[in-house]
Amino acid sequence: MAGTNNQIDSVQNPRMTWEGCSVLLDINDGDRLVFARLSAAAKLKIGNKNCSLQPLIGCSFGSVFRVETGIGGPYLSRFNPSSEGNNDKENNGFQSKEESRDNRALVDDNKAQSLTGEDIDAMRREGATGDEIVEALIANSATFEKKTLFSQEKYRIKKQKKYAPKVLLRRPLARSICEAYFKKYPARIGFLRVDTLSLLLSMANVFANSEVLVVDMVGGLLTGAVAERMGGMGHVCSTYAGNAPYPMEIVRIFNFGIDICKSILRSSLDSLSSSKNGTSKQIGEHDDSLSVEGGLKDQTSPVCPEEICDESENGKSNILLEDSLSPVIRSCKSVKAGEKAPEEVVKLWKENGFSSLIVAAPDLDPWSLVKDLLPLLASSATFAIYHQFLQPLATCMHNLQLEKMAIGLQISEPWLREYQVLPSRTHPCMQMSAFGGYILSGTKICNV
Amino acid sequence: MLAIDPEKKLSFTRRISDGDLVIIYERHDSMKAVRVCDGSVLQNRFGVFKHSDWIGKPFGTKVFSNKGGFIYLLAPTPELWTLVLSHRTQILYIADISFVIMYLEIVPGCVVLESGTGSGSLTTSLARAVAPKGHVYTFDFHEQRAASARGDLEKTGLSSLVTVGVRDIQGEGFPDEFAGMVDSVFLDLPQPWLAIPSADIRTFEILLRAYEVREGTMEGCKGDDGVSIGALPRKRRQRSSEGSNVQEFQRSSIAMARPCAEAKGHTGYLTFARLKCS
């Protein structure tokens, strides 16, 4: 934990939640992923129950909560994981036992369960916990004993999800935000998978005190991920072609403190590429200031605060929760991420060049961007271009070779496969993402 | 390798000076690390290169030998270092390294433990991720290997960010003084499960397929609008009348990509877990 406070303002421990902090709620092991901002008023609907998020304030990230029913209605209660841990260990032993059961006697006639919906409601009224209901369901299942231990476990998990849903409190970091979006709204982040994002950051050599140029048309995920890696030291410049900056609403999901917010700047490609004489520059600036406001409008639009569920149609307002900011946070927010780059910083970039470039612009042609962007880099700077299609990158790479602008050029396709690991049952997971896009990486060379 | 002093900002906007570590780039598959030393020479198949010619040039410069052959002088990065370091063990490559940094949620200021150190390929990237205020404590049970790793870190200028210890972590565990102090732990050991009680365990395999791009010529039928790929010379384009069975072919060049025939088919499995919340 040492040293992490420079990520957040020193008042806050980044491993504990606070009022106004942004969190990722993982409901039932990834079945539902919800970004929320914690406040006394914030509520989350789980199943058909509305629960206040108040109990989550001041807890460690990584805590697990269960929905319990009390006198005042349903509420989220901290769940002690140690008992579950013991269960896990016992369960892990079952594979070693001789397994003689199989599914020959199972008939799918919907008669196995003798408890009715009314019975369960009655139990609830009497104050039974979710776990007790699950046990009752198991006790009243005619087929449970005949199932293999593996399938008994599956049955138990299925019932637990319904009757004793759990909520895992997660830190919103580049990793978790990318994974959540990739799962729920992949199109909004240009189908940028977490391993692809991590490769972009490595290939572009992003670290504290670098000056990173990004073209982020993936909602701010890339800008946020770069800023997280730099910890508020150095700058990330989000540049854009034309007049309107690209939206970066995802940046606000990260719990960035003042330093990191300050390190995120915007500048139009025109004003970055304009030569040092005045006229063309002023035009660029003018466009810039106009467009920043246009871009921010869409961030500050009123959003329905408490509730976000993936079933909803309008995902944008669901993802962003901005209503109930505590005074603490509001004061931080006076420094907004993505301010227009000050004159002297732009001057520095023009003199020294950027140390890295990352492009994630799914709808733009890489070559037409890169031919304008590469001259803005320092010599020996590294870059990484993400695209979903191979051909535009191949053309871009070929042109870079012809123009002798870069070396060490390589197109890579990341491939990620998750495994189920269990004794005698280890194998790749059934469902996987089959495509993570392509990356063109390289090093800019000196053109003198 | 890293500009740790914020006053210096970018390490490679600086000019190459005597004593710098540079990566000699001959081809994408042929690189080596060299310490610049005034008066010394680099000799390879392209001829003899005088170090004194390099001093004062910016990183990324093309330099020539006595025979007119050339190489590029690049600023070292952890990625390049992984390609040029001397292998004392099997090493982690960029696909695994980048995923490890992301999944361990390592950011500037973190304290990270690693075992074993091996050849220091991952260690270099860990150091970059925690810089400038964090620290990497890495352990190897092999005394000589630890010493070599220390030497390498000295070379790459990262020694202030990394402490290399000699210890059998699997047998003895990490030193007690780290209890409660650490943000992330990376284990590359034969029996890592002896280590820690944990939650959210997930295992991955990660691969990187590389593509090669070359200019290809395609036989294109001029009569059909649909086939014009790449920049065709429009002037010479002829409209073929309908029903014409005279097909005219022309050569057009486009960039074509295909997967490289050889790749690292498997580097390892990565298992991630989170310490249970007490």
Side-chain angles (χ1 to χ4, degrees), chain A residues 26-281:
Chain A
D26 177 335
I27 298 150
N28 284 335
D29 297 321
D31 281 3
R32 234 179 108 199
L33 296 165
V34 175
F35 290 106
R37 207 169 273 283
L38 296 184
S39 73
K43 285 199 163 55
L44 175 73
K45 194 166 185 184
I46 300 168
N48 51 1
K49 300 190 189 82
N50 248 322
C51 300
S52 163
L53 295 182
Q54 165 84 51
L56 275 56
I57 299 173
C59 291
S60 312
F61 282 106
S63 307
V64 178
F65 294 82
R66 282 258 170 105
V67 182
E68 302 289 351
T69 317
I71 312 148
Y75 66 99
L76 284 167
S77 140
R78 180 81 185 269
F79 177 70
N80 182 8
S82 64
S83 56
E84 193 188 44
N86 293 338
N87 272 343
D88 282 352
K89 275 194 196 102
E90 283 160 29
N91 291 337
N92 284 345
F94 66 69
Q95 294 83 6
S96 50
K97 291 178 205 154
E98 203 60 46
E99 184 64 84
S100 57
R101 282 167 284 189
D102 56 34
N103 62 2
R104 77 184 73 198
L106 285 185
V107 184
D108 187 7
D109 58 1
N110 224 5
K111 284 180 189 158
Q113 183 54 255
S114 55
L115 276 187
T116 64
E118 287 95 69
D119 294 338
I120 294 167
D121 285 341
M123 284 181 74
R124 279 212 182 102
R125 276 193 299 277
E126 286 154 26
T129 65
D131 278 340
E132 285 164 359
I133 293 173
V134 173
E135 289 311 317
L137 283 166
I138 289 169
N140 287 283
S141 164
T143 49
F144 186 81
E145 286 307 315
K146 297 190 194 113
K147 288 173 189 277
T148 64
L149 286 161
F150 177 54
S151 110
Q152 284 182 352
E153 185 57 20
K154 267 171 89 171
Y155 180 88
R156 184 186 297 273
I157 289 170
K158 214 170 120 190
K159 296 301 172 193
Q160 265 168 359
K161 281 183 175 181
K162 185 162 180 198
Y163 295 100
K166 60 176 188 190
V167 178
L168 170 65
L169 188 57
R170 294 190 63 188
R171 285 167 87 190
L173 294 168
R175 167 191 163 181
S176 55
I177 295 171
C178 182
E179 284 186 322
Y181 267 92
F182 191 79
K183 202 164 172 182
K184 294 297 176 193
Y185 312 102
R188 278 201 232 147
I189 55 163
F191 299 88
L192 188 57
R193 209 170 54 193
V194 65
D195 54 319
T196 312
L197 176 61
S198 64
L199 276 162
L200 292 175
L201 297 172
S202 286
M203 286 168 163
N205 191 30
V206 173
F207 63 98
N209 287 322
S210 36
E211 300 290 325
V212 182
L213 181 63
V214 300
V215 180
D216 179 341
M217 297 180 79
V218 291
L221 173 66
L222 175 62
T223 309
V226 169
E228 182 182 282
R229 278 292 164 92
M230 292 168 51
M233 291 159 273
H235 294 105
V236 44
C237 173
S238 174
T239 191
Y240 51 94
N243 297 331
Y246 307 133
M248 50 162 85
E249 71 274 1
I250 294 175
V251 167
R252 304 218 287 167
I253 297 175
F254 291 80
N255 279 314
F256 285 153
I258 296 169
D259 285 347
I260 298 187
C261 285
K262 270 193 204 156
S263 72
I264 302 173
L265 299 169
R266 303 193 209 226
S267 189
S268 75
L269 186 49
D270 282 348
S271 51
L272 288 178
S273 350
S274 67
S275 56
K276 273 155 206 161
N277 73 54
T279 44
S280 60
K281 198 172 172 184

Side-chain angles (χ1 to χ4, degrees), chain A residues 1-4 6-7 15 60-63 78 81 84-85 88 168 170-171 173-176 179 194-195 197-199 201-203 205-211 225 228-231 233-235 348 352-355 378-382 390-391 394-395 397-398 401-402 404 407-419 421 438 443-446, chain B residues 1-6 9-13 25 28 58-62 72-80 94-95 97-99 101-111 125 128-129 131-133 180-184 197 200-215 253-258 260 269 271-272 274 276-278:
Chain A
M1 206 169 286
T4 39
N6 60 353
Q7 195 196 344
R15 306 250 176 212
S60 312
F61 282 106
S63 307
R78 180 81 185 269
E84 193 188 44
D88 282 352
L168 170 65
R170 294 190 63 188
R171 285 167 87 190
L173 294 168
R175 167 191 163 181
S176 55
E179 284 186 322
V194 65
D195 54 319
L197 176 61
S198 64
L199 276 162
L201 297 172
S202 286
M203 286 168 163
N205 191 30
V206 173
F207 63 98
N209 287 322
S210 36
E211 300 290 325
E228 182 182 282
R229 278 292 164 92
M230 292 168 51
M233 291 159 273
H235 294 105
L348 205 77
N352 296 331
F354 289 93
S355 57
S379 163
S380 201
T382 44
L390 181 57
Q391 189 57 46
T395 306
M397 173 164 160
H398 187 58
Q401 280 168 334
L402 289 180
K404 297 193 166 49
I407 53 169
L409 290 164
Q410 171 131 325
I411 295 178
S412 325
E413 180 190 354
W415 196 87
L416 181 71
R417 183 140 90 166
E418 185 163 3
Y419 277 70
V421 179
Y438 300 99
T443 304
K444 193 209 166 183
I445 49 175
C446 206
Chain B
M1 185 176 290
L2 309 177
I4 293 157
D5 179 2
K9 286 288 178 191
L10 310 178
S11 55
F12 48 84
T13 52
Y25 178 102
H28 70 95
F59 285 99
T61 302
K62 190 188 212 178
Y72 291 93
L73 307 175
L74 300 183
T77 66
E79 284 63 43
L80 291 173
I94 184 169
I97 291 172
S98 63
F99 199 63
I101 307 274
M102 175 69 93
Y103 247 67
L104 294 185
E105 300 174 344
I106 300 173
V107 296
C110 279
V111 173
S125 282
R128 171 178 64 187
K133 290 179 202 139
M181 293 283 294
V182 174
D183 295 287
S184 311
D200 304 335
I201 305 173
R202 295 175 74 184
T203 298
F204 298 90
E205 179 182 33
I206 186 163
L207 294 174
L208 211 51
R209 170 186 260 181
Y211 284 78
E212 58 186 35
V213 172
R214 34 178 214 127
E215 189 169 27
S253 85
I254 56 160
M256 300 194 298
R258 68 159 192 191
C260 296
Y269 294 107
T271 295
F272 296 91
R274 193 180 295 278
K276 269 190 179 160
C277 218
S278 51

